[in-house]
Amino acid sequence: MANISLSVDCEIHCCEIDHCYTQVVVIGNGPSGICMSYFLSGNWPYYNGQPHQLEFLQQRLIENQGISILEQDLEYLSSGLEGRSSNPVSLLFDNLHHPNADMGAEEESCLQWIHDKNRQIPHVVLGNGLPGGTWQQMDDTLLTLSLSNWMELPGMEFKKWLQDTRLQNDESARPDNNNRANVSEVAQYYTEYVRKMNLGDNFYSNVKVTSVKKLTGMRVINSENGEPEIACRRCRRLEGENMFEVKGIARHNDLGTEEPFCIFTPNVVLATGTSDDPNRLFVPGEDLNYVSHNLKKLEEAIVNEEIVSNSDPVLIVGAGLSAADAILYTQSLNIPVMHAFRRKASNKNQPLRSLPKLLYPEYNLIYNMMNSGPQSNKNYLNLQQHTLVEFRSDRTVLLKNSEGTEREIKVSHACVLIGSKPKLDFLPDNGKSYSVHTNSPVTCKGNPIHVDPYTMESNMEPGLYAIGPLVGDNFVRFLQGGALAVASNLIQKKTSSHLSSPNRLER
């Protein structure tokens, strides 16, 4: 039996989950998974009566003010809403939690949260690292792209938490960086959120999920006593009930050991994000040891003084936010950079072009450098409209421009940052059969998981749900709506099975 341990602020939780049963398994412990756990732990949102600028939405909220949003018709509530998400329930939650946010307003939330332990739905959240997901792995010095208050999760105001934390750390004079937070602060917030919201018993860290398999109509019966073969009283299931088998490996870092585990559940929520598997160029030499596909390996080389200010330049490939972050990092250390990207810097599809200058001055600086001439910065050379041809063992890199002219450059390190895709190798065919275009890999923008927009349940596999970047919601403020949609659907399923009526809030 595998004992999986979670450490949150030195609190250790152990639980036998080998061959166990639970109502919901959430795969991924980033903001999506954390928010999902908050809803499933019996925290229900209600309209608090705060006036909303959208009169049609306010009228709908007033109609059923005493009934939780989770028990209302989400399609009706979200009809007609517009914004920066393609998922209607994400727009609904954002309009309620951050009214008028796209206009730069910081208005009070229209939600109040009521906790009732009797409304909890048993669940576990499985993650590779500590709660916070990839936020725990990013460069601590970087600033969030979103405004700091957009990083918060329900029930724990980020801005107040940040002020209190900085005061405790004697950092009250620290600049607010245009109302943006450091990545390290966001990672700490998510870790503390799990502890303060009493979610820790549901979280299992250092876990790798290896397979998710649908077992339709499965019954495991002991031939001698007629009881389920699985040694867990919670596993006595209705005959013919659809069930998923979730298998994985629990890593015990303190002991240096690994143990397998298996969980049976009727519901699986995919909340893995899309940054697990970096995109590749697929050119010769890309696996050489001086070529990396994430900022962390470049940071390690610099920390170990394998790269210094008088080294050959670092080659950064890509024109998105990750590439810009890598350039900012190397420039701050006076390390020369060559920056290769395939489009013109002025192309309308360049990600940095659309960012407001006043809000994102550091990214605007990089964008200006991308448009600059060769002499504008002695430590930066832009190679716009260049593609990579080959990485060579002597650290020479061959590139080609849009006219077909080749050039060789000598580098100390090459960092290829051209986006990433989700790692769904635990699903059949890497999840392709669950995507919009079933013959192509799952991607955040072009080929997300195909779900019902009001429940986030897979259109291909009942009981399988997806939230966050897997369905196109990359910003924390929007992914919470996906968790709302899943929780609402699970509650409706539970309600219909018990033939009970909606729970009206007594005021």
Side-chain angles (χ1 to χ4, degrees):
M1 304 285 277
N3 294 317
I4 296 182
S5 300
L6 165 72
S7 175
V8 180
D9 286 359
C10 300
E11 294 180 0
I12 303 297
H13 167 68
C14 299
C15 177
E16 279 190 346
I17 67 170
D18 182 44
H19 284 98
C20 273
Y21 170 86
T22 189
Q23 277 292 309
V24 186
V25 171
V26 182
I27 303 176
N29 64 356
S32 297
I34 296 173
C35 190
M36 192 73 254
S37 181
Y38 182 74
F39 283 118
L40 297 179
S41 296
N43 298 291
W44 284 25
Y46 293 81
Y47 175 49
N48 63 11
Q50 177 77 13
H52 198 284
Q53 63 159 352
L54 297 176
E55 293 183 7
F56 71 87
L57 178 56
Q58 183 175 351
Q59 183 57 42
R60 294 170 189 172
L61 294 168
I62 292 173
E63 290 173 8
N64 292 293
Q65 185 166 351
I67 297 176
S68 173
I69 305 297
L70 286 168
E71 293 190 296
Q72 295 188 40
D73 184 342
L74 297 183
E75 183 173 1
Y76 171 62
L77 285 177
S78 59
S79 176
L81 295 175
E82 298 178 351
R84 297 166 61 190
S85 172
S86 59
N87 293 313
V89 183
S90 297
L91 294 175
L92 171 65
F93 186 88
D94 187 58
N95 268 279
L96 298 177
H97 193 46
H98 297 292
N100 211 20
D102 281 338
M103 302 303 294
E106 291 190 29
E107 299 178 7
E108 290 186 27
S109 172
C110 293
L111 297 174
Q112 71 174 117
W113 296 88
I114 305 296
H115 174 72
D116 185 345
K117 64 180 181 180
N118 295 321
R119 293 172 173 171
Q120 295 180 19
I121 296 178
H123 67 282
V124 297
V125 182
L126 308 178
N128 274 319
L130 289 177
T134 56
W135 288 95
Q136 302 289 356
Q137 304 166 19
M138 298 181 190
D139 181 0
D140 289 350
T141 63
L142 297 177
L143 297 178
T144 60
L145 180 63
S146 297
L147 300 181
S148 59
N149 63 313
W150 292 356
M151 309 310 299
E152 73 183 23
L153 298 179
M156 183 169 154
E157 185 181 343
F158 183 85
K159 198 169 186 177
K160 184 180 184 306
W161 173 87
L162 187 60
Q163 290 172 344
D164 293 344
T165 300
R166 287 178 175 176
L167 284 172
Q168 291 172 7
N169 295 334
D170 195 25
E171 297 179 354
S172 56
R174 185 172 176 171
D176 64 5
N177 295 308
N178 290 317
N179 199 22
R180 293 158 64 203
N182 283 350
V183 164
S184 60
E185 294 170 327
V186 178
Q188 183 184 351
Y189 168 81
Y190 291 143
T191 301
E192 289 197 19
Y193 183 93
V194 170
R195 178 177 62 83
K196 290 188 175 183
M197 295 300 168
N198 299 312
L199 307 178
D201 286 350
N202 303 311
F203 279 72
Y204 299 89
S205 297
N206 301 317
V207 171
K208 177 178 174 60
V209 175
T210 56
S211 75
V212 174
K213 182 180 179 181
K214 189 67 173 284
L215 305 174
T216 305
M218 185 196 74
R219 288 201 306 158
V220 183
I221 301 296
N222 186 299
S223 59
E224 295 182 0
N225 57 26
E227 292 293 324
E229 194 70 63
I230 304 162
C232 175
R233 67 179 183 275
R234 289 172 291 177
C235 298
R236 305 176 195 274
R237 305 186 301 282
L238 296 174
E239 180 178 356
E241 181 181 359
N242 288 340
M243 197 67 55
F244 291 95
E245 176 193 67
V246 181
K247 288 185 175 181
I249 300 293
R251 298 186 294 272
H252 304 287
N253 292 339
D254 53 339
L255 302 175
T257 60
E258 295 183 344
E259 290 186 80
F261 68 85
C262 179
I263 313 172
F264 292 94
T265 181
N267 302 290
V268 173
V269 181
L270 303 177
T272 60
T274 60
S275 60
D276 292 331
D277 193 5
N279 291 333
R280 297 174 62 87
L281 295 167
F282 298 106
V283 299
E286 194 170 358
D287 292 322
L288 290 169
N289 61 9
Y290 72 90
V291 182
S292 65
H293 295 82
N294 58 66
L295 183 54
K296 198 167 190 66
K297 189 172 179 181
L298 172 61
E299 289 176 331
E300 290 173 354
I302 292 174
V303 168
N304 295 332
E305 297 186 347
E306 298 169 17
I307 303 172
V308 294
S309 59
N310 61 354
S311 297
D312 288 325
V314 170
L315 174 65
I316 306 295
V317 182
L321 296 172
S322 296
D325 289 336
I327 295 168
L328 287 167
Y329 176 66
T330 51
Q331 292 280 283
S332 69
L333 299 173
N334 205 33
I335 293 172
V337 169
M338 289 185 172
H339 183 198
F341 47 99
R342 58 189 176 88
R343 296 192 183 106
K344 281 187 176 182
S346 58
N347 187 286
K348 65 179 181 179
N349 293 320
Q350 289 290 14
L352 301 182
R353 179 179 177 176
S354 61
L355 297 178
K357 297 178 182 179
L358 294 178
L359 194 57
Y360 305 103
E362 76 278 28
Y363 290 130
N364 183 59
L365 172 65
I366 300 300
Y367 181 67
N368 288 338
M369 290 164 59
M370 290 168 63
N371 280 283
S372 66
Q375 302 303 320
S376 63
N377 186 319
K378 67 176 183 178
N379 280 332
Y380 175 89
L381 175 65
N382 81 60
L383 300 172
Q384 59 182 310
Q385 292 187 284
H386 277 69
T387 55
L388 273 290
V389 177
E390 182 182 6
F391 297 99
R392 295 172 178 167
S393 57
D394 63 354
R395 295 182 186 258
T396 298
V397 179
L398 181 65
L399 303 97
K400 181 173 62 177
N401 66 17
S402 58
E403 297 176 352
T405 303
E406 294 184 343
R407 67 182 297 175
E408 293 181 354
I409 58 174
K410 188 79 170 179
V411 304
S412 57
H413 189 92
C415 198
V416 180
L417 300 169
I418 54 173
S420 59
K421 55 185 176 293
K423 193 171 185 179
L424 300 174
D425 54 351
F426 54 84
L427 292 176
D429 199 22
N430 292 294
K432 284 184 182 180
S433 58
Y434 305 131
S435 65
V436 174
H437 306 291
T438 55
N439 293 324
S440 302
V442 176
T443 59
C444 174
K445 293 182 179 179
N447 194 32
I449 300 292
H450 195 198
V451 295
D452 181 299
Y454 301 102
T455 66
M456 294 294 133
E457 187 171 22
S458 168
N459 288 319
M460 281 67 169
E461 187 68 88
L464 182 71
Y465 299 82
I467 57 177
L470 290 175
V471 292
D473 281 332
N474 291 297
F475 293 101
V476 173
R477 55 183 274 217
F478 291 119
L479 59 81
Q480 299 172 68
L484 173 74
V486 175
S488 175
N489 186 248
L490 292 173
I491 289 166
Q492 288 176 25
K493 287 181 178 180
K494 183 178 180 182
T495 299
S496 61
S497 66
H498 289 82
L499 299 178
S500 59
S501 58
N503 297 285
R504 182 171 289 275
L505 177 66
E506 298 298 329
R507 303 185 66 82

